[in-house]
Amino acid sequence: MFGRIRKTALAVLQQGLAPEQLALTVCLGTAVGTLPLMWGTTVICVALAARFGLNQAAMQAVNYLVYPLQIALFFPFFKLGAKYLPWGPSISAEMLQVALHGHLTSAISLLGWATLKAVGAWLVTVPPLALLLYPLLVSLFRRRRSVPDLDHAA
């Protein structure tokens, strides 16, 4: 039963997408979905899908599927960004946790600086990785498309 639901969902999401478009959808949706912003990734994905003529449902599905990664990667991106972007206040993860549990104004300021540093780290890591993965995914999706469906072969 789960296999049939999975196949149906994949068919809907891949509908009308060439391997290049599907690879671009996965790369962009994953990259934007891991962007360390607590808002706005949905809007960015809508704009990118419209700009490149991609399937909106597929783009949002990828974006939402990687949402747990966005949360899990926020502090690693922040730490990397803080290491290479020394401007702004010095912020530790403990300071952010304390600020979020008490002082709203200091929390907003610290979270803003932390987000800025995390986005800086994201910019130098994730987009280049997405560019490297794109040709690999195109090749994989082309190969998968050329393999006959064994369920319908009989």
Side-chain angles (χ1 to χ4, degrees), residues 56-79:
Q56 289 283 351
M59 179 73 93
Q60 292 305 331
V62 173
N63 178 32
Y64 294 147
L65 283 173
V66 298
Y67 181 71
L69 279 176
Q70 179 189 42
I71 295 168
L73 291 174
F74 184 84
F75 279 112
F77 280 141
F78 161 68
K79 287 181 180 182

Side-chain angles (χ1 to χ4, degrees), residues 19-137:
E20 296 81 9
Q21 290 175 309
L22 187 56
L24 189 58
T25 299
V26 170
C27 286
L28 288 176
T30 302
V32 173
T34 59
L35 187 62
L37 295 174
M38 295 305 137
W39 56 268
T41 58
T42 298
V43 174
I44 295 169
C45 281
V46 166
L48 287 171
R51 168 67 178 91
F52 293 109
L54 303 173
N55 183 322
Q56 289 283 351
M59 179 73 93
Q60 292 305 331
V62 173
N63 178 32
Y64 294 147
L65 283 173
V66 298
Y67 181 71
L69 279 176
Q70 179 189 42
I71 295 168
L73 291 174
F74 184 84
F75 279 112
F77 280 141
F78 161 68
K79 287 181 180 182
L80 181 64
K83 191 176 203 176
Y84 294 107
L85 304 170
W87 31 265
S90 177
I91 306 167
S92 68
E94 295 79 26
M95 286 175 63
L96 278 175
Q97 289 175 347
V98 168
L100 290 173
H101 292 296
H103 302 83
L104 182 62
T105 54
S106 63
I108 291 171
S109 174
L110 288 177
L111 193 56
W113 278 107
T115 300
L116 188 63
K117 291 179 181 198
V119 168
W122 176 89
L123 281 170
V124 298
T125 56
V126 174
L129 183 60
L131 286 172
L132 289 173
L133 286 176
Y134 175 75
L136 296 172
L137 287 175

